[in-house]
């Protein structure tokens, strides 16, 4: 990492092992980390936003449509309508349209520490009601192309069913072990050049 200072550009070498130790120490001191038992007993508060005033539907193509304010200024409405229709391919009508991005455009890669050992969590048992919820969610994700079946995986994580404030259920994944193996970068680019002098005041 290179940081501009009054004395010139300095270079700081990173160390994954030390970064992980610092991260774990910060988590222990701040108490921000939430154990999986807390998540299971924790209600997620979700605030649903609703449009102000009356709305009307605008059909962008055969599948996609949006809601616009019914009392919008005609000129602004015309400009927004033209913009939406010209960029209709930008909006996804269903989850399957999100997948399939060329890896040359963007690829997500986990920053797993080299010294980390893969963890296969012990299989959890769920009630029949929760098993039905899990089966439905997995089927949705498979049809959308978000997930696929793998054999002989190195990392295995259980799913967790969390009750939301509105009474519905959300299926999450217990990535506790994987998160521990991935050191967090609290100051990613492009802000690091601005934060550098605050992180290292002795360089002023």
């Amino acid at each position: 990492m290179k940081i501009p200072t009054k004395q010139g550009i300095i270079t700081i070498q990173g160390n994954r092992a030390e970064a992980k130790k610092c991260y774990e120490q910060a988590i222990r001191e701040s108490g921000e980390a939430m154990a999986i038992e807390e998540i299971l007993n924790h209600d997620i508060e979700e605030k649903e936003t609703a449009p102000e005033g009356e709305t009307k539907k605008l059909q962008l193509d055969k599948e996609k449509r949006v809601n616009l304010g019914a009392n919008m200024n005609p000129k602004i409405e015309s400009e927004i309508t033209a913009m939406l229709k010209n960029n209709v391919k930008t909006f996804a009508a269903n989850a399957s349209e999100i997948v399939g991005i060329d890896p040359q455009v963007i690829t997500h890669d986990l920053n797993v520490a080299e010294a980390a050992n893969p963890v296969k969590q012990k299989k959890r048992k769920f009630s029949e009601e929760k098993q039905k919820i899990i089966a439905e969610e997995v089927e949705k994700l498979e049809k959308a192309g978000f997930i696929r079946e793998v054999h002989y995986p190195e990392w295995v994580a259980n799913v967790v069913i969390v009750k939301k404030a509105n009474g519905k259920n959300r299926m999450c994944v217990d990535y506790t072990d994987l998160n521990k193996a991935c050191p967090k970068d609290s100051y990613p680019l492009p802000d690091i050049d601005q934060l550098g002098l605050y992180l290292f005041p002795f360089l002023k």
Side-chain angles (χ1 to χ4, degrees), residues 25-39:
Q25 181 66 27
I27 288 296
R28 282 194 293 270
E29 292 178 357
S30 65
E32 292 179 358
M34 185 179 290
I36 190 63
E37 290 77 15
E38 295 180 61
I39 297 174

Side-chain angles (χ1 to χ4, degrees), residues 42-46 162-170:
H42 180 70
D43 289 334
I44 297 177
E45 183 180 352
E46 291 193 350
V162 180
K163 183 75 73 175
K164 298 193 289 186
N166 58 10
K168 296 182 180 180
N169 294 286
R170 169 182 289 166

Side-chain angles (χ1 to χ4, degrees), residues 107-152:
T107 301
H108 179 66
D109 186 23
L110 294 176
N111 183 32
V112 181
E114 295 177 0
N117 294 318
V119 177
K120 295 182 180 180
Q121 295 180 0
K122 185 178 179 181
K123 183 180 179 181
R124 293 195 184 122
K125 294 183 179 180
F126 298 95
S127 64
E128 291 186 9
E129 180 185 357
K130 289 186 177 180
Q131 287 180 15
K132 184 178 179 182
I133 295 170
I134 293 169
E136 291 174 353
E137 291 298 320
V138 169
E139 185 179 1
K140 288 179 186 177
L141 294 171
E142 281 184 324
K143 285 183 177 180
F146 272 59
I147 61 173
R148 59 183 172 83
E149 184 179 0
V150 295
H151 299 279
Y152 309 109

Side-chain angles (χ1 to χ4, degrees), residues 4-203:
T5 68
K6 291 181 179 180
Q7 289 75 31
I9 302 295
I10 66 168
T11 302
I12 299 175
Q13 300 295 333
N15 185 304
R16 283 189 172 186
E18 291 299 320
K20 184 180 178 183
K21 289 180 182 178
C22 292
Y23 172 64
E24 291 176 347
Q25 181 66 27
I27 288 296
R28 282 194 293 270
E29 292 178 357
S30 65
E32 292 179 358
M34 185 179 290
I36 190 63
E37 290 77 15
E38 295 180 61
I39 297 174
L40 292 171
N41 299 321
H42 180 70
D43 289 334
I44 297 177
E45 183 180 352
E46 291 193 350
K47 296 181 180 180
E48 297 184 2
T49 57
E52 294 183 4
E54 296 181 3
T55 60
K56 60 181 179 182
K57 298 186 184 301
L58 171 64
Q59 198 74 31
L60 300 178
D61 60 14
K62 292 181 179 179
E63 296 182 354
K64 302 173 185 177
R65 65 182 182 184
V66 296
N67 291 333
L68 292 180
N71 301 321
M72 191 180 298
N73 181 295
K75 183 181 178 181
I76 296 176
E77 180 181 346
S78 176
E79 292 175 353
I80 291 177
T81 300
M83 183 274 295
L84 292 173
K85 290 188 175 181
N86 290 336
N87 298 278
V88 66
K89 292 183 179 180
T90 307
F91 307 100
N94 51 63
S96 60
E97 294 185 23
I98 302 175
V99 298
I101 299 175
D102 191 330
Q104 292 183 351
V105 177
I106 186 170
T107 301
H108 179 66
D109 186 23
L110 294 176
N111 183 32
V112 181
E114 295 177 0
N117 294 318
V119 177
K120 295 182 180 180
Q121 295 180 0
K122 185 178 179 181
K123 183 180 179 181
R124 293 195 184 122
K125 294 183 179 180
F126 298 95
S127 64
E128 291 186 9
E129 180 185 357
K130 289 186 177 180
Q131 287 180 15
K132 184 178 179 182
I133 295 170
I134 293 169
E136 291 174 353
E137 291 298 320
V138 169
E139 185 179 1
K140 288 179 186 177
L141 294 171
E142 281 184 324
K143 285 183 177 180
F146 272 59
I147 61 173
R148 59 183 172 83
E149 184 179 0
V150 295
H151 299 279
Y152 309 109
E154 294 181 348
W155 292 86
V156 180
N158 284 286
V159 297
V160 180
I161 301 299
V162 180
K163 183 75 73 175
K164 298 193 289 186
N166 58 10
K168 296 182 180 180
N169 294 286
R170 169 182 289 166
M171 188 180 77
C172 305
V173 181
D174 180 11
Y175 284 130
T176 305
D177 297 304
L178 189 58
N179 287 339
K180 288 179 181 178
C182 297
K184 179 183 177 183
D185 183 4
S186 300
Y187 301 101
L189 294 173
D191 297 328
I192 191 63
D193 58 331
Q194 300 172 18
L195 294 168
L197 295 180
Y198 296 99
L199 292 172
F200 306 98
F202 59 85
L203 296 174

